Amino acid sequence: MSGEHVPLDPSVAPLGTREFRDAGGLPAAAWRADQTEQTLVPTHCCFCGIQCGMYLRVDGRGKVFGVEPRNHDINRMRLCPKGINAYQQVNHPDRLTAPLLRRDRKQPFREVSWDEALEFTVEQINRIQREHGRDAFGMLGGASLFSEKTYLVGKFARVALKTRHVDYNGRLCMVSAAGANKLAFGIDRAANPFADILQTDCLLIVGANVGECFPVLTQYVWGARDRGATLIVVDPRQTAVARTADIHVALKSGTDSAFFNAVLHVIVEEGLTDEAFLAANTTGWAEVKAAVKEYPPSRAAEICGVPAEQVVEVARSFGRARRAMGWHARGIEHHTQGVENCLTVINLCTATGNLGRPGAGYGTLTGQGNGQGGREHGQKSDLLPGGRSINDPAHRRQIAAIWGIEESELPPAGTSMMEMVWQMQRQEIRGLIGVCNNPFVSLPNYAVVKDGYDKLEFHAQFDFFLSETAANAHVVFPVTTWAEDEGVMANAEARVVKHNKAQEPPEGVRTDTWVLCELARRLGAGGKFAFEGSRDVFDELRRASAGTVIDYYGITYDRLERTGGLVWPCPGLEHPGTPRLFEDGRSYHPDGKIHLQAVEWHPPADPYDDDFPMTLTTGRTVAHFLSGNQTRRLGALVEQTPRPWVEVHPSQGFRNGEPVRVVTRRGSAVLPALVTEAIRPDHVFVPYHWPYPVAANELTVDALDPRSKIPEYKVCAVRIERARAVDEVPAPPTPPGREAYPETQVPRTDPLPPSSSQGVGTGERS
């Protein structure tokens, strides 16, 4: 029918429709496709722990040039702003395409051959370990790597470097939840799939900014609401999902365990516990019951800064629901009491019998794409593949046999990521390899981090963009993006999904796997790293996990392609996976019981006083991801959110865009005010995706949870002051000799906060 008018039925087409339609010619008559050939490669998003399915569009030359949503049952054709723009990383002009090297930080980088970069790295490893011992060299991995690569990071550190010092940036993410899950359940994963949210009668979301950090998960929240479920959100800020809640508890940051103890206090007092479930399936209930008796609603109101009546309302809504669920994220995990905060939510779900059923359960939302899978197979300082303990002699023997070494050759447990920085300051660690992390933006107390890294005698970094951390290194290895290799990730449900290779990497770029195996060969351990690629590594990972709680043995690439994902444990090739835990009431402890833990609230590490009377909390925004090394280079995302801001309540007397100096005991930054009633009057909020001098993590405290060693990002003492001008946002680093990319590679001095409303009562741009 091309070139012809299509008749319109006047009985169904409003008057004027034809004239409006044809005013500029027939629809699409002037459009011409500039891509004559294209292939759609099924894969998953590289960003958060939802792991939305997508297709990457590949042109006839084999280059990624676009994206399409995929009707995967995780996301059902939905993508968030980051997912829509992720493909632009792949052929971005800022990509690193040759190794960078300098023998002294006072020198500029120069592009060198792979052989020179690898040889220099091996020379420095050998020198440092010869002069100062094996543990003087450390390694830090990342939870956005494929699981095959996280497995290699742990094996490389312990077999090739032979060091105890290996950890990863998931230490900054989910380890508090992991610690709580292991204590209570003997297993480290969410108990329920996302789909169970659709069947719940009461949904409790704690410290999770779902609308901005996990936008596609919102469909499950809305689906539950459409069924009539009650939504309870606990967060100091009125986030997008909190605005839609039946109950929003705007508690003071750092008081979560007191609040949930008080909620359980009311549930006990009103007889809403499931005593039969508790008697049959738990230990420790008497101790928990005694502990929560000391937290009546009146005490929680005083500690948390919320009405006592709201504690009762939450308790009755959750306790009376036939099926209730609790989901949480970094908001309750980024605390010196992070593990205990999570335990109080576990206590609440268990005491009411809300485990092991559709619509009844408990889960954690992972921030990084492989936040779940990234800690399962050995790059965490105290774990070996399959979640085995590196301190358990039997576990050590099992992995040593698979790796072809003696058990005595396996180093002991190392220290956490932040503790490693302190060791760098003390020069106990003198050399470091970093893979897929950017601590100059992501770790707390930037001054300490910079000092620690500056004291390293040698530092190599793997990345596909020149991050702020890589820009401080001696060697930078250019490695592939997620679209240039294949591998698996495990999402927040513990569903293992397959990422597929969509294009060949640029000339001069290698996979992380190739680089680690080549370094191992040059260090004399090549026989233990004879992997051709991800498939070989995954086969060894499957064998290494067999028989553990985190059993991947029954998961293969072919099965993942056919099914769209399998949830571990999956011990056999015919096993369907385990989407829902505890359906038989049994935990993964040897006795089969859920081990409840009594919790006492304690205040945050950074004390309030007259000089620092308010609370600073930090988090993400919808347009950016973690340290921003990827998203701060994508034009549409930078245009949406070009710079950080400070959210302040109108009672503080600032106008929108007015410069505000945010001061803590560690530093200060001047940011534009975003005036909003969506935050408590005694709190301020700063997003953390940008580097010094506008870094939120210049301000945060490097106090750690004693069990999980996670930093206390979500609460520190602060004051705010009027200032003259906002601090400039630096452009992302660029490789030597590379022209600045005009869309994003410019410093930002715009004093105004984002134009889109961040919450109720947000002032207009002025």
Side-chain angles (χ1 to χ4, degrees), residues 409-538:
E409 296 180 67
L410 266 180
T415 52
S416 72
M417 190 173 186
M418 193 68 220
E419 290 172 312
M420 286 175 66
V421 171
W422 298 337
Q423 290 171 292
M424 294 176 206
Q425 284 188 294
R426 299 191 299 266
Q427 295 194 295
E428 295 167 13
I429 295 176
R430 293 171 177 255
L432 183 78
I433 293 175
V435 185
C436 189
N437 53 57
N438 189 14
F440 274 37
V441 179
S442 61
L443 277 175
N445 200 348
Y446 168 77
V448 166
V449 177
K450 180 70 162 62
D451 182 57
Y453 272 79
D454 282 349
K455 286 180 177 172
L456 289 172
E457 296 175 14
F458 175 77
H459 170 208
Q461 197 75 16
F462 292 36
D463 218 322
F464 50 84
F465 290 136
L466 190 65
S467 70
E468 287 76 15
T469 307
N472 198 66
H474 295 92
V475 172
V476 183
F477 292 116
V479 290
T480 47
T481 67
W482 98 107
E484 294 158 347
D485 200 3
E486 64 177 347
V488 305
M489 290 190 177
N491 78 345
E493 308 164 288
R495 185 198 307 230
V496 181
V497 296
K498 172 72 163 44
H499 289 245
N500 292 313
K501 182 176 179 178
Q503 76 166 45
E504 292 297 326
E507 185 178 352
V509 171
R510 303 286 189 270
T511 67
D512 307 83
T513 299
W514 184 91
V515 183
L516 289 172
C517 291
E518 182 61 19
L519 284 170
R521 185 184 69 80
R522 293 172 185 240
L523 287 165
K528 306 293 191 298
F529 292 83
F531 302 111
E532 291 296 322
S534 295
R535 288 175 183 260
D536 291 345
V537 180
F538 190 65

Side-chain angles (χ1 to χ4, degrees), residues 394-407 410 528:
H395 291 180
R396 292 171 61 86
R397 287 193 295 272
Q398 290 164 0
I399 291 301
I402 291 168
W403 286 351
I405 62 175
E406 295 296 322
E407 185 271 330
L410 266 180
K528 306 293 191 298

Side-chain angles (χ1 to χ4, degrees), residues 614-625:
M614 299 179 68
T615 296
L616 166 68
T617 191
T618 65
R620 286 160 55 182
T621 186
V622 69
H624 290 293
F625 186 67

